[in-house]
Amino acid sequence: NRPGPRRRAREISSSPSFSPRTPPPSFRPTSHHRLLFRHRHRHHHQQNPTGRTQQSHMASFGVDTRPAAAGEGALSFLSRSLREDLRLIRARAGELETFLSAPVPEPDLFARLRRAYNTTSSSSAASGIGRTRLDLSAIGKAFEAEVGRGWGAKTGWRWEDEDAAEWEPIRAVKARLRDLDRKRQDQASDVLHKVKLSLKSMSFAPEASEEVPPLDLNELLAYFLKQSGPLFDQLGIKRDVCDKLVESLCSKRKDHFAYDPLSTSESSSFRNDNTCDELDLRIASVLQSTGHHYEGGFWDDGQKYDVADKRHVAIVTTASLPWMTGTAVNPLFRAAYLAKSSKQYVTLMVPWLCKSDQELVYPNNMTFSSPEDQETYIRNWLEERVGFKTDFRISFYPGKFQKERRSIIPAGDTSQFIPSKEADIAILEEPEHLNWYHHGKRWTDKFNHVVGVVHTNYLEYIKREKNGAIQAFFVKHINNLVARAYCHKVLRLSGATQDLARSMICNVHGVNPKFLEVGERIAAERESGEQSMSKGAYFLGKMVWAKGYRELIDLLAKHKTDLDGFKLDVYGNGEDSVEVQSAAKKLDLNLNFHKGRDHADDSLHGYKVFVNPSISDVLCTATAEALAMGKFVVCADHPSNDFFRSFPNCLVYTTSEDFVAKVKEAMTRDPQPLTPEQRYNLSWEAATQRFMEHSELDKVLSSNGDCASTSGNSVDRRMKKSASLPNMSDIVDGGLAFAHYCFTGSELLRLSTGAVPGTLNYNKQHSVDMHLLPPQVQNPVYGW
């Protein structure tokens, strides 16, 4: 016998309609049936070790174990099996329908929960509330009532402890409901508290309103005009006009001094201030009475250098030795004397020129193969003159020489060559020059304190060029823009420079100690009766028309007969040397031209009079050096010479006739020796002290970045006052800086304003000389 469908037999036997007395119609077992039968046979054999044959098993379930008739086809066999399967499916479906239709009693707990939910829903709909909110307290009470009546016993639930309150699921649900209810109440109270605070902050009648009068329209308009001062200044409107308008608006308020937020003793220091300061105090008092505090400007960058115990000072200049120019020499001495105190780390950043540019700039065809070689030359030159070992670092940034302007233009972002961990204090020598085409991070964003030192009167130079008036107009506004956007404080060496934002006039340059030593030696020789100054007069300077050669030739040509016999030796090299000499020869002037040399050269010590008619200088270094050596100086009545007026050997002339008189006076008498105080005022020690005070660098260094903490009482209060005031100047400065950044990012716009081609980034030769990343790696084409 073939194995029968054991599983089929079992399913049939378990059917309610199956009876062993009435076996179902026989059918031919399939392979699937045979496999099921073998599996169940093994299982049954384990339970019945006596063993029964396969046929006996099938016969016990009423299965026809006889083989199929020979004439029965496969189609009839399949149809018979399908009919049997359908009959069994209908029987099982009837049983399931009977089970589902049977009534099931609803537990009393579910009925109470349903009634509680329906009650809360109907009450919410009756009250007109759009959203249905579940009453958790009602549901909790339903649980408590049902548990008290033994809900578990009614519904058939069983637990070991007969006390319903000890059943863990019920206790957890109750605790969860209590937590939700409490959290809902807390959230409602928090929302109510926030609404109260918002209404209080929006109130126009604060608690102290009876003490602090509200602002009127005149005060608001005056404050708006005052905050718009930077914008008016950029447009060329004078500050005096804005200040007068503010004062006029504030004077119309009758009770202008009705409220003083400070005590009588404290406010007495403000009585001498102008109306603008009083308006700031008025605005600050109203804002403080409302609890407002200004958090910062729109353009502020919070990530800056973290102040350490020893500060870092970076001095960035536009020229370097051996080019003997003011921006190469004076920043070098400043770095040496700032580092001499050992209170801060000092880094001097100078431009590195490729060899092709070095041949155009440095005298005597001097070139350097690497930045290290040039650094060695700079240190040797400096230490020979200052007389002490210098302790500061010299760093280089890429630069390119512009022949037309005889200037070095930075290539790329200069600020990126100062590590962020050292970006604390920056001193920008010639800030307008450094930032004309600066396309990089804003200095005031990267550094905590930025000081600019203005060396050159660019407007005077530009006016001498073709279409100079138009060029000077644009350069004036660009200079003011970069000074306002990139500096916290600007120091102008004299009044000859452009009046820039946040600027003040102070001479922060000193004299090479070698010149003071020469002056002391000459004074000692004179006291001993020796004739140390046997030569006459001389002029020394770069031989370009703008350095005073035009004024000198005009004066000598006009008073040629008055100065008969007066000889003047001229020392200098420059682009206009051929034209200057030919003009003097054509007018038959008594001028002797010599090659340029260092002012400390021994051949120049014997001259008694230094003539300097230049009116394009800001603060002539050669004039200070001549005074330090004890010579007479004949100079023009010009703001660039204001610092030297107090020295008795400085002879200032106002007219051409006065020039002749001063020259004759200097040639006929001997200069006076310098006093110790005058020598100190010319020294770099005094210049460094003046720089520390007027740039507020002493306060920054002593207060670890908080300028207000060590300033005077009035300044301290103004700093605290400004912390609560939104400052429109920050918005204007940030907007100007962003506009300048966008402008300098276009090579076309840079070239249209006279920039050196390719200065947006450094070139390949710079990367080789300075061991930098290649330009295409440092600034990929997809970066802006």
Side-chain angles (χ1 to χ4, degrees), residues 520-533:
E520 293 178 357
R521 187 182 73 248
I522 292 176
E525 293 175 355
R526 187 178 302 158
E527 290 180 359
S528 63
E530 298 181 10
Q531 184 64 28
S532 55
M533 293 183 178

Side-chain angles (χ1 to χ4, degrees), residues 52 104 161 271 328 345 357 388 410 436 443 607 675 717 748:
R52 297 176 63 182
V104 179
D161 194 351
R271 295 309 182 189
Y345 298 107
D357 286 338
F388 58 85
W436 276 336
W443 294 95
Y607 287 98
T675 64
R717 281 192 293 271
L748 179 62

Side-chain angles (χ1 to χ4, degrees), residues 71-130:
E72 185 180 10
L75 184 60
S76 60
F77 168 73
L78 292 176
S79 62
R80 189 169 60 251
S81 299
L82 182 60
R83 286 195 300 271
E84 182 64 22
D85 291 339
L86 291 176
R87 186 183 63 80
L88 291 177
I89 290 172
R90 284 196 297 270
R92 290 297 177 88
E95 294 176 1
L96 179 61
E97 182 178 0
T98 303
F99 175 77
L100 293 177
S101 61
V104 179
E106 180 182 16
D108 194 16
L109 174 60
F110 293 161
R112 289 180 177 273
L113 291 176
R114 180 168 48 79
R115 287 195 298 271
Y117 176 78
N118 294 334
T119 303
T120 56
S121 300
S122 60
S123 62
S124 299
S127 60
I129 299 176

Side-chain angles (χ1 to χ4, degrees), residues 453-464:
V453 182
V454 180
H455 290 247
T456 309
N457 187 2
Y458 289 105
L459 299 182
E460 185 65 27
Y461 287 111
I462 293 175
K463 289 178 181 178
R464 299 170 183 264

Side-chain angles (χ1 to χ4, degrees), residues 198-216:
S198 300
L199 293 175
K200 184 178 180 180
S201 63
M202 294 171 59
S203 176
F204 291 95
E207 297 179 359
S209 60
E210 65 275 6
E211 298 180 4
V212 183
L215 297 172
D216 58 13

Side-chain angles (χ1 to χ4, degrees), residues 262-525:
L262 306 173
S263 63
T264 304
S265 59
E266 292 177 338
S267 62
S268 60
S269 59
F270 291 100
R271 295 309 182 189
N272 294 329
D273 294 343
N274 55 25
T275 307
C276 295
D277 293 331
E278 296 170 355
L279 179 61
D280 285 343
L281 291 174
R282 170 82 176 114
I283 300 292
S285 64
V286 175
L287 292 177
Q288 291 172 1
S289 66
T290 60
H292 172 77
H293 183 75
Y294 182 58
E295 298 295 339
F298 178 76
W299 305 97
D300 291 348
D301 186 359
Q303 297 181 353
K304 289 188 180 182
Y305 168 83
D306 293 332
V307 176
D309 294 336
K310 195 171 182 179
R311 310 295 292 272
H312 289 263
V313 178
I315 303 175
V316 188
T317 187
T318 57
S320 175
L321 294 179
W323 192 13
M324 298 298 298
T325 184
T327 54
V329 175
N330 292 306
L332 182 61
F333 282 106
R334 195 186 324 282
Y337 282 89
L338 280 176
K340 187 178 181 181
S341 62
S342 300
K343 294 181 180 179
Q344 57 274 332
Y345 298 107
V346 178
T347 300
L348 175 65
M349 293 195 63
V350 296
W352 167 259
L353 299 178
C354 298
K355 187 165 292 187
S356 58
D357 286 338
Q358 295 181 28
E359 296 173 352
L360 299 174
V361 178
Y362 300 151
N364 302 324
N365 296 324
M366 187 180 298
T367 59
F368 303 95
S369 59
S370 66
E372 291 77 14
D373 295 342
Q374 187 171 2
E375 179 179 353
T376 302
Y377 174 85
I378 293 172
R379 290 192 183 277
N380 293 337
W381 184 93
L382 177 64
E383 293 176 1
E384 181 182 352
R385 284 156 177 78
V386 298
F388 58 85
K389 189 71 175 179
T390 57
D391 185 17
F392 65 92
R393 187 174 62 183
I394 298 178
S395 179
F396 291 84
Y397 66 87
K400 290 187 177 181
F401 181 68
Q402 188 177 33
K403 297 180 181 179
E404 294 78 13
R405 297 181 181 176
R406 296 294 302 175
S407 300
I408 298 176
I409 304 298
D413 180 13
T414 308
S415 64
Q416 70 176 330
F417 297 97
I418 304 175
S420 298
K421 63 181 180 180
E422 300 177 3
D424 184 11
I425 300 170
I427 301 173
L428 305 182
E429 309 281 350
E430 290 194 322
E432 66 273 56
H433 186 161
L434 284 170
N435 293 296
W436 276 336
Y437 304 105
H438 175 73
H439 182 72
K441 192 172 183 62
R442 187 180 173 190
W443 294 95
T444 52
D445 287 343
K446 186 171 183 177
F447 290 83
N448 294 315
H449 191 64
V450 182
V451 181
V453 182
V454 180
H455 290 247
T456 309
N457 187 2
Y458 289 105
L459 299 182
E460 185 65 27
Y461 287 111
I462 293 175
K463 289 178 181 178
R464 299 170 183 264
E465 300 178 359
K466 185 180 180 180
N467 299 323
I470 299 177
Q471 295 184 47
F473 173 79
F474 289 105
V475 171
K476 176 183 178 181
H477 288 278
I478 293 175
N479 290 346
N480 195 41
L481 183 151
V482 297
R484 175 175 292 280
Y486 297 115
C487 297
H488 293 120
K489 192 77 175 178
V490 178
L491 299 180
R492 299 157 54 202
L493 297 180
S494 71
T497 57
Q498 178 184 344
D499 186 12
L500 300 173
R502 304 189 189 95
S503 65
M504 65 177 303
I505 298 173
C506 179
N507 176 22
V508 293
H509 285 178
V511 175
N512 186 341
K514 291 293 183 181
F515 295 102
L516 293 173
E517 294 176 2
V518 172
E520 293 178 357
R521 187 182 73 248
I522 292 176
E525 293 175 355

